[in-house]
Structures are given as C-alpha cells and as structure tokens.
Amino acid sequence: MTKIRIHKKNNGSMVLLTGGANPALGQEIAKLLGIRTGNVTLGRFPEGEIQVQIHDNIRGKDVFIIQPTCTPPNESLMELLILIDAARRASAKRITAVLPFFGYARQDRKDRPRVPITAKLVANLIVSAGANRVLTVDLHAGQIQGFFDIPVDHLYSIAVLGAYFKKKKLKNLVVVSPDVGGIKMARGYAKLFGCDLAVVDKRRESASTTHVMHIIGSVAGKNVVLLDDLISTGGSIVEAAKALKAHGAKDIYACIVHPVLAGSAIERIKNSPIKELIVTNSIPLTKEKRISKITQLSIAPLLADAIWRIHNDVSISTLFFNNELGVEA
Ligand code: R5P
C-alpha cells in the first residue's frame, strides 16, 4: 500500500484557505501540516451574493484553497471561484484549487442532444478565476483531468479505503462494480484484495431510479465489496445490493468515495441489505447522515501529504495508486 507521510516543516510560504463546504477537512489538513488555516470571512450580502475577504497577507505565497463542490453545489462552486479571485487579486504567487470532491462531473460528455458538458464548463470557470493547479480525489472519470489546461494532480483514496478493508481480513471476497463505467476502479480494488470482480449491468431510468438487468460474474456464497465513486440518491448501490442478495451474496459492504447522499439516500441505505457503507470525508456528513451503518474515513493525511509535496516540488507520483494495474506507480 502507498505510505502516506506528512512533513511538518514549513517556512511560512504555504497558506491554506478553506471555504465553507468542508472546513473540518481543511482544519484537519492544516493540523497535519502544522499550520493554521488562513483568516477568511465568508459572508453574504442581504440578497445572498457571496462576499469574501482574506485577512492575512498572502502576497507571494503558495496558496491552497480547500473546497469540495458539494451540497449545496452552486454555493460551494461560486464560493470557490470567488476565493480564487480574491487570492489572485491579493497577489498570491500560486493558487491550487484543492477539490476533494469535484462536482458537476457526471455530465462529462454529450450523451443526448442539446445537453451541456458541465465538467468542462466548471473546469473552465476554475481556470478563468485564476487557479494555477488543481488537486483532486477520485474524479468521476479520469479523463476530466484533460478538461483543465493547468496541471492536475489526481489522487485515489484507495490507499485509505483499501487499507480499511485489508484490516477486516474478509474471506471469500468479490469486488462488484454497480455499473460498467466503474469497472476500472473496481479492478484496482480486486487486484489489491487478490479477489474476483463482478459487474452489475444497470440501466438508469431517471436521475433517481435505476434498474438492474444482469449480474456479470459469480457472487453466490461470497462476501461483496460494492465500489463506486459517489453515492447520490443511493438508487444504484441499493438496487445492486438487492440484486446481489437475490443471487446468493453473503455480507455486502459498499465502499464509496464521495458521500453526496441526496434525497432519501439515508432511508434507502438503512432499509437495504448493505451491512456497512464506507465513505471518505471528501464531503462532510450532516448529523442526520451519521448513522451506524456508515463509516467515514479521513483523506486528510492523503491531501496533506500531496499539498506538502506540491509546495516543496517533490514528486507526488508515490501517492498515485495506479488504479488500472492495482499496484503503486
Ligand atoms: C454514476 O455513473 C455514478 O458513478 C454513480 O453510480 C451514480 O451517480 C450514483 O447515483 P445514485 O446514488 O443516485 O444512484
């Protein structure tokens, strides 16, 4: 497994700013790096416009702005853009947009007539606002990196999630992708665990309804790790879990990087055959989402190590777990 190491030496030229989307993650990263997050006012004008002010002098500094574009996505995104703009106008030397979760990524191609490509639009907005680099985690599709004409460091949380499962020492395991789009990610985990891979052939009927057509591969009598990059309404994962149970699967674990958890996702998970849902803290969990079935693991050490390496021009490739091969790069 990739070893995550944090180095606390910092000569004061690194600045961490956090937006309002996940300040707890920002604080955790700052603590690991042995610094404080910068002093920022995140306010609103009476009608709702975002008003920010950076109170520290960041002239000539290497600035990292931590903001997943999670719920509420439009507020989070706009706040990120405005923070980047403020940092650029305050003469920051370099601005890295740290996006633990990159929202708007699912619309990454024209799959129907007259639809947008929001992943590209958002990438353009981030670059236009003044970001010089992007640091992100488990993009919905790896090729979204190419939507940015600035360097993108794309981390995989497999180092964190995989280690959690390794400790469980589960026997007779199969990794299952809930759709064909997730096979590459699932294959990385299957190689890590040294187990088989199965795939659910899912059809999406609407944004919140999916239908399982077939299961490709053998799951009968096996413990399952269902893998996905994000869980929104929970439809995909819960329908997949039900189908897997119907095909004779034993314990079903769901391992999902980004806990979007919209609408009735929590109720769905509570009433599903899923034994445990493991997620990261790329997106914070509100109180009502912190149920006993959900385990949240921190990616702060992964991000802190990456930030330290970017700041010190040290290679970051040891943090890139090669998903395709399932081995360290
Ligand atoms: C789809 O391609 C994604 O990887 C997820 O499977 C999907 O967005 C999950 O959505 P939901 O939880 O609403 O089924």
Side-chain angles (χ1 to χ4, degrees), residues 106 140 178-179 181 202 204 207-208 210 228-237 268:
R106 280 170 291 179
H140 178 61
D179 55 41
K202 150 187 122 177
R204 184 169 283 286
S208 59
T210 59
D228 214 344
D229 62 319
L230 70 91
I231 176 166
S232 177
T233 64
S236 307
I237 230 68
R268 270 181 162 159

mmCIF file of all heavy atoms in Angstrom, residues 106 140 178-179 181 202 204 207-208 210 228-237 268, ligand 1:
data_model
loop_
_atom_site.group_PDB
_atom_site.id
_atom_site.type_symbol
_atom_site.label_atom_id
_atom_site.label_comp_id
_atom_site.label_asym_id
_atom_site.label_seq_id
_atom_site.Cartn_x
_atom_site.Cartn_y
_atom_site.Cartn_z
ATOM 1 N N ARG A 106 -20.520 14.415 -13.513
ATOM 2 C CA ARG A 106 -21.226 13.330 -14.199
ATOM 3 C C ARG A 106 -21.637 13.715 -15.612
ATOM 4 O O ARG A 106 -21.764 12.870 -16.472
ATOM 5 C CB ARG A 106 -22.444 12.887 -13.376
ATOM 6 C CG ARG A 106 -22.044 11.960 -12.240
ATOM 7 C CD ARG A 106 -23.202 11.715 -11.299
ATOM 8 N NE ARG A 106 -23.536 12.919 -10.546
ATOM 9 C CZ ARG A 106 -24.518 12.998 -9.656
ATOM 10 N NH1 ARG A 106 -25.264 11.949 -9.422
ATOM 11 N NH2 ARG A 106 -24.744 14.110 -8.991
ATOM 12 N N HIS A 140 -14.905 11.478 -11.206
ATOM 13 C CA HIS A 140 -15.910 10.561 -11.764
ATOM 14 C C HIS A 140 -15.331 9.820 -12.977
ATOM 15 O O HIS A 140 -15.611 8.639 -13.183
ATOM 16 C CB HIS A 140 -17.158 11.353 -12.148
ATOM 17 C CG HIS A 140 -18.215 10.515 -12.766
ATOM 18 N ND1 HIS A 140 -18.809 9.466 -12.103
ATOM 19 C CD2 HIS A 140 -18.770 10.534 -14.008
ATOM 20 C CE1 HIS A 140 -19.692 8.896 -12.902
ATOM 21 N NE2 HIS A 140 -19.677 9.524 -14.060
ATOM 22 N N PRO A 178 -21.060 -1.392 -9.561
ATOM 23 C CA PRO A 178 -22.512 -1.307 -9.779
ATOM 24 C C PRO A 178 -22.895 -0.886 -11.183
ATOM 25 O O PRO A 178 -24.071 -0.827 -11.514
ATOM 26 C CB PRO A 178 -22.962 -0.255 -8.759
ATOM 27 C CG PRO A 178 -21.758 0.576 -8.534
ATOM 28 C CD PRO A 178 -20.549 -0.283 -8.761
ATOM 29 N N ASP A 179 -21.904 -0.551 -12.011
ATOM 30 C CA ASP A 179 -22.188 -0.275 -13.425
ATOM 31 C C ASP A 179 -20.921 -0.476 -14.239
ATOM 32 O O ASP A 179 -19.827 -0.545 -13.676
ATOM 33 C CB ASP A 179 -22.784 1.135 -13.633
ATOM 34 C CG ASP A 179 -21.912 2.231 -13.044
ATOM 35 O OD1 ASP A 179 -20.685 2.147 -13.177
ATOM 36 O OD2 ASP A 179 -22.472 3.170 -12.452
ATOM 37 N N GLY A 181 -19.362 1.519 -16.077
ATOM 38 C CA GLY A 181 -18.453 2.668 -16.013
ATOM 39 C C GLY A 181 -17.456 2.565 -14.864
ATOM 40 O O GLY A 181 -16.415 3.224 -14.875
ATOM 41 N N LYS A 202 -26.499 -2.158 -15.096
ATOM 42 C CA LYS A 202 -27.573 -1.287 -14.598
ATOM 43 C C LYS A 202 -28.099 -0.392 -15.721
ATOM 44 O O LYS A 202 -27.346 0.059 -16.567
ATOM 45 C CB LYS A 202 -26.968 -0.459 -13.456
ATOM 46 C CG LYS A 202 -27.518 0.917 -13.227
ATOM 47 C CD LYS A 202 -26.717 1.700 -12.187
ATOM 48 C CE LYS A 202 -26.187 2.994 -12.763
ATOM 49 N NZ LYS A 202 -25.459 3.832 -11.807
ATOM 50 N N ARG A 204 -30.174 3.222 -16.117
ATOM 51 C CA ARG A 204 -30.723 4.363 -15.371
ATOM 52 C C ARG A 204 -32.005 4.826 -16.037
ATOM 53 O O ARG A 204 -32.023 5.155 -17.215
ATOM 54 C CB ARG A 204 -29.692 5.500 -15.316
ATOM 55 C CG ARG A 204 -30.157 6.667 -14.476
ATOM 56 C CD ARG A 204 -29.065 7.671 -14.190
ATOM 57 N NE ARG A 204 -28.127 7.239 -13.164
ATOM 58 C CZ ARG A 204 -28.395 7.211 -11.869
ATOM 59 N NH1 ARG A 204 -29.598 7.560 -11.427
ATOM 60 N NH2 ARG A 204 -27.489 6.824 -11.005
ATOM 61 N N ALA A 207 -32.942 10.332 -12.908
ATOM 62 C CA ALA A 207 -31.827 10.730 -12.034
ATOM 63 C C ALA A 207 -31.855 9.966 -10.712
ATOM 64 O O ALA A 207 -30.827 9.802 -10.059
ATOM 65 C CB ALA A 207 -31.890 12.227 -11.772
ATOM 66 N N SER A 208 -33.052 9.464 -10.298
ATOM 67 C CA SER A 208 -33.121 8.793 -9.001
ATOM 68 C C SER A 208 -33.540 7.319 -9.095
ATOM 69 O O SER A 208 -33.664 6.651 -8.082
ATOM 70 C CB SER A 208 -34.099 9.549 -8.077
ATOM 71 O OG SER A 208 -35.369 9.582 -8.685
ATOM 72 N N THR A 210 -32.883 3.499 -10.834
ATOM 73 C CA THR A 210 -32.079 2.615 -11.680
ATOM 74 C C THR A 210 -32.698 1.219 -11.641
ATOM 75 O O THR A 210 -33.440 0.880 -10.720
ATOM 76 C CB THR A 210 -30.625 2.508 -11.178
ATOM 77 O OG1 THR A 210 -30.641 2.016 -9.849
ATOM 78 C CG2 THR A 210 -29.897 3.833 -11.235
ATOM 79 N N ASP A 228 -17.997 2.350 -5.732
ATOM 80 C CA ASP A 228 -18.411 3.409 -6.646
ATOM 81 C C ASP A 228 -17.696 4.689 -6.280
ATOM 82 O O ASP A 228 -17.190 4.828 -5.153
ATOM 83 C CB ASP A 228 -19.935 3.601 -6.603
ATOM 84 C CG ASP A 228 -20.512 3.995 -7.958
ATOM 85 O OD1 ASP A 228 -19.740 4.405 -8.845
ATOM 86 O OD2 ASP A 228 -21.740 3.886 -8.131
ATOM 87 N N ASP A 229 -17.685 5.645 -7.225
ATOM 88 C CA ASP A 229 -17.035 6.916 -6.909
ATOM 89 C C ASP A 229 -17.935 7.791 -6.049
ATOM 90 O O ASP A 229 -17.461 8.515 -5.191
ATOM 91 C CB ASP A 229 -16.607 7.661 -8.192
ATOM 92 C CG ASP A 229 -17.788 8.016 -9.090
ATOM 93 O OD1 ASP A 229 -18.692 7.174 -9.249
ATOM 94 O OD2 ASP A 229 -17.818 9.138 -9.624
ATOM 95 N N LEU A 230 -19.252 7.717 -6.282
ATOM 96 C CA LEU A 230 -20.140 8.551 -5.463
ATOM 97 C C LEU A 230 -21.476 7.880 -5.252
ATOM 98 O O LEU A 230 -21.903 7.031 -6.034
ATOM 99 C CB LEU A 230 -20.318 9.940 -6.089
ATOM 100 C CG LEU A 230 -21.110 10.103 -7.369
ATOM 101 C CD1 LEU A 230 -22.581 10.366 -7.079
ATOM 102 C CD2 LEU A 230 -20.560 11.281 -8.157
ATOM 103 N N ILE A 231 -22.103 8.263 -4.158
ATOM 104 C CA ILE A 231 -23.465 7.816 -3.889
ATOM 105 C C ILE A 231 -24.317 9.065 -3.767
ATOM 106 O O ILE A 231 -24.037 9.941 -2.965
ATOM 107 C CB ILE A 231 -23.551 6.919 -2.629
ATOM 108 C CG1 ILE A 231 -25.018 6.549 -2.334
ATOM 109 C CG2 ILE A 231 -22.909 7.558 -1.397
ATOM 110 C CD1 ILE A 231 -25.186 5.419 -1.348
ATOM 111 N N SER A 232 -25.345 9.142 -4.614
ATOM 112 C CA SER A 232 -26.226 10.308 -4.567
ATOM 113 C C SER A 232 -27.555 9.895 -3.925
ATOM 114 O O SER A 232 -27.698 9.951 -2.709
ATOM 115 C CB SER A 232 -26.407 10.876 -5.974
ATOM 116 O OG SER A 232 -27.307 11.943 -5.951
ATOM 117 N N THR A 233 -28.499 9.423 -4.725
ATOM 118 C CA THR A 233 -29.779 9.004 -4.135
ATOM 119 C C THR A 233 -29.679 7.616 -3.504
ATOM 120 O O THR A 233 -30.585 7.180 -2.810
ATOM 121 C CB THR A 233 -30.868 8.929 -5.220
ATOM 122 O OG1 THR A 233 -30.503 7.905 -6.155
ATOM 123 C CG2 THR A 233 -31.034 10.248 -5.945
ATOM 124 N N GLY A 234 -28.610 6.928 -3.788
ATOM 125 C CA GLY A 234 -28.432 5.566 -3.264
ATOM 126 C C GLY A 234 -29.083 4.517 -4.141
ATOM 127 O O GLY A 234 -28.930 3.313 -3.898
ATOM 128 N N GLY A 235 -29.807 4.968 -5.186
ATOM 129 C CA GLY A 235 -30.523 4.042 -6.057
ATOM 130 C C GLY A 235 -29.608 2.964 -6.641
ATOM 131 O O GLY A 235 -29.908 1.766 -6.542
ATOM 132 N N SER A 236 -28.490 3.382 -7.202
ATOM 133 C CA SER A 236 -27.597 2.418 -7.876
ATOM 134 C C SER A 236 -27.112 1.358 -6.907
ATOM 135 O O SER A 236 -27.173 0.152 -7.182
ATOM 136 C CB SER A 236 -26.368 3.123 -8.462
ATOM 137 O OG SER A 236 -26.745 4.177 -9.267
ATOM 138 N N ILE A 237 -26.623 1.808 -5.758
ATOM 139 C CA ILE A 237 -25.965 0.878 -4.839
ATOM 140 C C ILE A 237 -26.998 -0.033 -4.151
ATOM 141 O O ILE A 237 -26.772 -1.226 -3.977
ATOM 142 C CB ILE A 237 -25.071 1.686 -3.851
ATOM 143 C CG1 ILE A 237 -23.680 1.106 -3.800
ATOM 144 C CG2 ILE A 237 -25.581 1.755 -2.452
ATOM 145 C CD1 ILE A 237 -22.846 1.222 -4.956
ATOM 146 N N ARG A 268 -32.952 4.799 2.348
ATOM 147 C CA ARG A 268 -32.716 3.662 1.453
ATOM 148 C C ARG A 268 -31.611 2.760 1.999
ATOM 149 O O ARG A 268 -31.729 1.543 1.985
ATOM 150 C CB ARG A 268 -32.293 4.171 0.075
ATOM 151 C CG ARG A 268 -33.443 4.416 -0.869
ATOM 152 C CD ARG A 268 -32.895 4.900 -2.190
ATOM 153 N NE ARG A 268 -33.867 4.751 -3.247
ATOM 154 C CZ ARG A 268 -33.822 5.438 -4.382
ATOM 155 N NH1 ARG A 268 -32.859 6.298 -4.605
ATOM 156 N NH2 ARG A 268 -34.736 5.256 -5.296
HETATM 157 C C1 R5P B 1 -22.694 7.019 -11.980
HETATM 158 O O1 R5P B 1 -22.089 6.900 -13.025
HETATM 159 C C2 R5P B 1 -22.012 7.216 -10.673
HETATM 160 O O2 R5P B 1 -20.779 6.575 -10.629
HETATM 161 C C3 R5P B 1 -22.879 6.724 -9.544
HETATM 162 O O3 R5P B 1 -23.106 5.336 -9.731
HETATM 163 C C4 R5P B 1 -24.207 7.410 -9.516
HETATM 164 O O4 R5P B 1 -24.091 8.774 -9.733
HETATM 165 C C5 R5P B 1 -24.865 7.157 -8.181
HETATM 166 O O5 R5P B 1 -26.086 7.818 -8.169
HETATM 167 P P1 R5P B 1 -27.292 7.279 -7.272
HETATM 168 O O6 R5P B 1 -26.754 7.058 -5.895
HETATM 169 O O7 R5P B 1 -28.303 8.378 -7.343
HETATM 170 O O8 R5P B 1 -27.791 6.026 -7.920
#
